[in-house]
Amino acid sequence: MDFNPYELVPHPDSPDLPGTVIVRDTPEDVLEVLGADLYVQAKACIRGFGDFHMALSGGSTPEPFYRKLMSDPSLRDFPWKKTHLWIVDERRVPFEDELSNFGMIRQIIVQHSDIPGDQVHPMQAERDDADVRYEDELRSALEWREKGHDRLDFVLLGMGNDGHTASLFPRSPALSADGRLVVFNDGPSVTPPDRVTMTYSLLNASRFIAVLVYGQHKRGTIERVAGRKAEPKDLPILGIEPLAGDVRWYLDQAACPEPA
Ligand code: 6PG
């Protein structure tokens, strides 16, 4: 099939997920569309507000996307100088640990872009006050914007096989952290080590949420999301419901359930 990132005709295999669903045949094609959408969002926010606040997830799925951001000629003039980079969630390990989300993002993006150091916002996850420090950092970076625009512009999420997103794991305490922006999360359902995570309140206030999922191993979970029979406490990705923003799913065909 000829590849057209702006194609408006829905893919015949698109599952019925809560939000706009973009399906492409291969992960590479999916990343192409995601890159184009991210670029447009970044440029539009910088035109409107002067800067762009983007929060990135860890995990294995987005790694190739981060490499693409650094190497794809069509993204060469990505406006890093006006971008703030936030971390959606973090494991409570040093940045040098291979499990550190910021460690991976630093290696792939931060060290190879011209993003100013004071616009890079790692979570200091090992500290006892990591949650409130990050909340303060978010508030002070966003508070100068007009009321209503003081929110994250773009959030990239993944989804685990258990339906977790960010570090919001099924039946874990962080799911009910009302009024908080960032919290610690631990407990039996949290894949160790313990985490620090953005909450539903912060994520759902974002302007644009991209959920990137590919591979056949995620198909069963996509099926559960499309079935909408579970509750967010059992399938936390279902709690992603932006108040006034968009949620867009980026899937490859392998992640899509067979059409009925
Ligand atoms: C993390 C994430 C997490 C991730 C999912 C999916 O730090 O692990 O932020 O929410 O997106 O666990 O992970 P994979 O992409 O590795 O399947």
Side-chain angles (χ1 to χ4, degrees):
M1 182 199 271
D2 280 346
F3 174 63
N4 171 7
Y6 300 105
E7 184 163 39
L8 294 173
V9 182
H11 194 281
D13 296 347
S14 288
D16 178 19
L17 303 174
T20 307
V21 183
I22 311 249
V23 178
R24 291 292 182 267
D25 291 348
T26 65
E28 293 71 32
D29 290 349
V30 176
L31 299 189
E32 194 76 25
V33 190
L34 178 60
D37 286 352
L38 171 61
Y39 185 85
V40 167
Q41 293 294 323
K43 288 284 190 180
C45 286
I46 289 165
R47 257 197 319 276
F49 313 121
D51 58 10
F52 177 59
H53 287 264
M54 163 171 90
L56 299 181
S57 287
S60 53
T61 307
E63 248 193 82
F65 182 62
Y66 300 155
R67 293 190 195 285
K68 180 182 177 66
L69 271 182
M70 292 298 105
S71 59
D72 188 323
S74 64
L75 298 167
R76 194 174 290 139
D77 67 337
F78 190 86
W80 290 109
K81 282 198 172 134
K82 306 250 174 180
T83 296
H84 281 254
L85 197 166
W86 300 92
I87 302 296
V88 168
D89 64 320
E90 188 57 280
R91 296 169 174 87
R92 302 195 70 192
V93 295
F95 296 142
E96 292 66 38
D97 191 300
E98 57 171 24
L99 291 176
S100 165
N101 287 345
F102 180 69
M104 180 262 284
I105 290 167
R106 177 172 65 181
Q107 222 174 47
I108 302 177
I109 297 180
V110 178
Q111 290 172 349
H112 302 282
S113 71
D114 55 359
I115 184 166
D118 61 350
Q119 292 170 202
V120 178
H121 305 278
M123 283 175 167
Q124 306 290 340
E126 288 187 288
R127 294 181 59 122
D128 289 343
D129 61 351
D131 53 348
V132 289
R133 267 176 79 98
Y134 213 57
E135 290 191 343
D136 288 348
E137 200 168 329
L138 278 156
R139 285 205 172 93
S140 56
L142 287 167
E143 73 186 350
W144 67 270
R145 278 194 182 184
E146 252 176 72
K147 194 113 197 78
H149 294 305
D150 48 349
R151 50 197 179 125
L152 293 170
D153 296 311
F154 187 100
V155 176
L156 178 61
L157 295 177
M159 182 187 76
N161 284 332
D162 59 357
H164 82 262
T165 192
S167 282
L168 300 167
F169 286 84
R171 297 170 303 281
S172 64
L175 297 182
S176 47
D178 293 343
R180 296 290 309 277
L181 305 182
V182 179
V183 292
F184 290 108
N185 203 13
D186 59 10
S189 69
V190 175
T191 314
D194 293 351
R195 314 289 182 112
V196 181
T197 185
M198 290 187 174
T199 60
Y200 282 138
S201 309
L202 177 59
L203 295 170
N204 283 332
S206 312
R207 194 176 309 283
F208 189 105
I209 299 180
V211 188
L212 175 64
V213 180
Y214 55 75
Q216 196 173 352
H217 60 300
K218 297 277 168 85
R219 188 184 285 183
T221 315
I222 289 289
E223 205 154 22
R224 285 181 70 204
V225 179
R228 315 227 192 141
K229 291 205 182 90
E231 289 180 44
K233 70 173 171 40
D234 297 313
L235 198 61
I237 188 81
L238 284 177
I240 297 299
E241 294 179 302
L243 297 170
D246 294 326
V247 57
R248 205 170 283 187
W249 293 76
Y250 297 84
L251 309 179
D252 73 341
Q253 203 160 1
C256 295
E258 302 284 344

